[in-house]
Amino acid sequence: MAALDKVLAASDPRVREAAVTIPVYGQLPFVPERASGCDIFTRDGRRILDLYGGHAVAALGYGHPKLVRAIQQQTEKLLFQSNAVALDIRADAAERLAHIAPEGIDRVFFVNSGAEANENALRMACLATGRKRILAITGGFHGRTAAAAAVTWNSAKWYGFPQLPFEVGFIPRDDVDAARRMIDDSVAAVIFEPVQGVAGAYDLSIEFIGALRESTARHGALLIADEVQSGIGRSGQYFAVQVHGVQPDIVTSAKALGGGIPCGAVLCSHAMAARFGAGDLGTTFGGGPIAAAAIAATIDAIEEEDLLANVRAREAQIREHCVVGPVVKIRGMGLLLGLVCDRPAVDVRDALLEHDILTGTSADPQVLRILAPLVLEPGHVHHLTGALAAIAPGAKEA
Ligand SMILES: Cc1ncc(COP(=O)(O)O)c(C=O)c1O
């Protein structure tokens, strides 16, 4: 028996990964074997409803025929070429992005991840203004590379580098007076998430975002909207700033952008793009043909299937039916929602997993995160409502 256990353990990827990877991730207690639509099918025969979408990545769910076909066809046609040559498929992706971008934004620089998008946006802000001070917002998360981590709230415990690449200050979130006071002529840029994802789908107030826009414009600083988590339809518009009606100078995108293929993008105005020339920015893989095909297919599917309307309808359904069981309040926007719980969110996540529903936690211990695929169906929300209602009442104090 002990020998059989050993063999089984040896074939478990959790054991195998633990033996050969750096142990930086706390992993969930199941092993996905395949996925389809919003469902993950596990090695031990479970079918789990995925309301977390691989950290907001699986915009079209899993196995969407349009996305799969686009990737397959591009793979057969031309797997890779760098930015040393122009490609129809890269132009297709850039045109689609320019088309859906917030007003005034029509230029794209492709990268490979959210952190890399923010890293380049911050570099562009320093280069364009000649200034060396960046402001960010308390609670914000922008990624793990040096500049992105420097503007991430509470990153000191894992930042790791001996110094910051520029001066950094944090504006207390939703503090309009502090925003007006702190943004001055020394500031190159303010970076913010319209809906703070890792913080637990905390949607910044429209007054606060308006103050950021007004003060940065007055002082010649740039406003960078990090829409790595909130973008590409998740808010119910292509970008959350379009819900607010605010025009940033730079928008960053990643995660859902390629529906699961790693990619990112920095978006800016024509005028801003004109400040940069050959060699100022660069990447080997950014804008590669597979990523470009995935970006074009993802945006086309959102458009053709009217998924922005679906996101808004599912949000309304969740808001109406999911304040049950341990959930006392819902915050956030679209399908970037924070379910505020009467107990530690991790307990609710674990209980939901017993009902075969995957959700996520957040930096706020009381807030469960929903980052469901944009193709979520009404029946999926019923399933969530039922499962939440079935969770036993718990202690009201966390
Ligand atoms: C708002 C935001 N910005 C940036 C990042 C970093 O993205 P990546 O992990 O692709 O580098 C994340 C990741 O969670 C994010 O939520």
Side-chain angles (χ1 to χ4, degrees):
M1 199 59 193
L4 180 62
D5 283 350
K6 229 170 155 178
V7 171
L8 287 175
S11 72
D12 187 326
R14 287 170 291 189
V15 177
R16 294 173 55 211
E17 281 194 20
V20 286
T21 60
I22 301 178
V24 292
Y25 298 112
Q27 292 186 322
L28 293 161
F30 62 87
V31 176
E33 224 154 42
R34 66 184 182 87
S36 172
C38 294
D39 293 324
I40 296 171
F41 297 87
T42 70
R43 166 177 285 204
D44 56 359
R46 290 171 71 190
R47 173 184 183 149
I48 296 176
L49 171 62
D50 185 1
L51 300 184
Y52 197 58
H55 295 310
V57 167
L60 306 181
Y62 302 96
H64 191 287
K66 189 172 188 88
L67 180 61
V68 170
R69 212 175 320 115
I71 295 167
Q72 267 170 354
Q73 286 174 353
Q74 189 58 50
T75 304
E76 284 162 15
K77 218 164 129 186
L78 179 66
L79 183 76
F80 185 69
Q81 275 294 317
S82 75
N83 292 278
V85 290
L87 301 174
D88 279 325
I89 191 66
R90 188 185 298 124
D92 288 347
E95 283 167 5
R96 302 267 198 308
L97 266 173
H99 180 67
I100 64 168
E103 213 184 314
I105 290 191
D106 57 3
R107 288 290 185 276
V108 180
F109 174 65
F110 286 117
V111 291
N112 304 284
S113 69
E116 194 186 351
N118 287 330
E119 199 82 5
N120 279 285
L122 294 164
R123 170 181 287 122
M124 287 166 69
C126 292
L127 283 171
T129 61
R131 300 174 183 176
K132 54 182 182 192
R133 181 167 172 73
I134 304 284
L135 296 180
I137 315 300
T138 60
F141 182 90
H142 302 289
R144 296 274 180 167
T145 53
V151 292
T152 287
W153 179 241
N154 266 343
S155 64
K157 49 183 183 288
W158 50 262
Y159 184 71
F161 297 109
Q163 61 202 32
L164 301 177
F166 35 63
E167 293 167 19
V168 180
F170 288 92
I171 306 172
R173 68 181 179 192
D174 280 345
D175 187 335
V176 170
D177 291 340
R180 296 205 173 113
R181 206 173 47 246
M182 290 174 72
I183 300 171
D184 60 23
D185 290 351
S186 72
V187 173
V190 176
I191 184 165
F192 76 108
E193 294 167 85
V195 184
Q196 295 184 327
V198 173
Y202 182 93
D203 35 337
L204 296 175
S205 75
I206 180 68
E207 293 77 20
F208 182 68
I209 296 176
L212 296 182
R213 177 63 288 181
E214 198 191 308
S215 296
T216 46
R218 181 154 7 100
H219 291 284
L222 302 180
L223 186 62
I224 303 172
D226 175 347
E227 296 241 19
V228 166
Q229 192 160 148
S230 58
I232 313 299
R234 183 155 299 284
S235 68
Q237 295 293 341
Y238 278 108
F239 294 94
V241 289
Q242 293 164 321
V243 178
H244 293 116
V246 168
Q247 288 181 28
D249 299 294
I250 300 179
V251 177
T252 56
S253 178
K255 288 195 187 282
L257 178 60
I261 294 290
C263 57
V266 184
L267 313 176
C268 69
S269 69
H270 172 80
M272 169 80 58
R275 293 167 179 246
F276 299 95
D280 287 344
L281 307 170
T283 157
T284 297
F285 283 112
I290 305 301
I295 292 168
T298 300
I299 294 173
D300 284 351
I302 293 174
E303 197 76 36
E304 286 161 15
E305 294 170 29
D306 204 6
L307 293 181
L308 300 183
N310 187 58
V311 168
R312 295 193 289 267
R314 296 293 72 75
E315 175 191 6
Q317 194 188 351
I318 292 171
R319 285 188 183 280
E320 189 179 343
H321 297 289
C322 292
V323 184
V324 287
V327 179
V328 294
K329 200 172 97 179
I330 296 181
R331 68 190 196 195
M333 197 187 272
L335 289 176
L336 169 41
L337 293 174
L339 272 46
V340 184
C341 299
D342 65 4
R343 68 198 79 180
V346 69
D347 293 349
V348 181
R349 184 203 58 190
D350 291 349
L352 285 174
L353 203 47
E354 282 173 25
H355 290 267
D356 292 327
I357 296 179
L358 176 61
T359 51
T361 52
S362 72
D364 186 327
Q366 299 287 121
V367 177
L368 197 70
R369 238 181 329 160
I370 302 275
L371 299 167
L374 314 187
V375 293
L376 193 71
E377 295 169 14
H380 296 137
V381 180
H382 291 147
H383 186 176
L384 175 64
T385 304
L388 284 169
I391 293 176
K396 291 287 172 198
E397 299 295 313

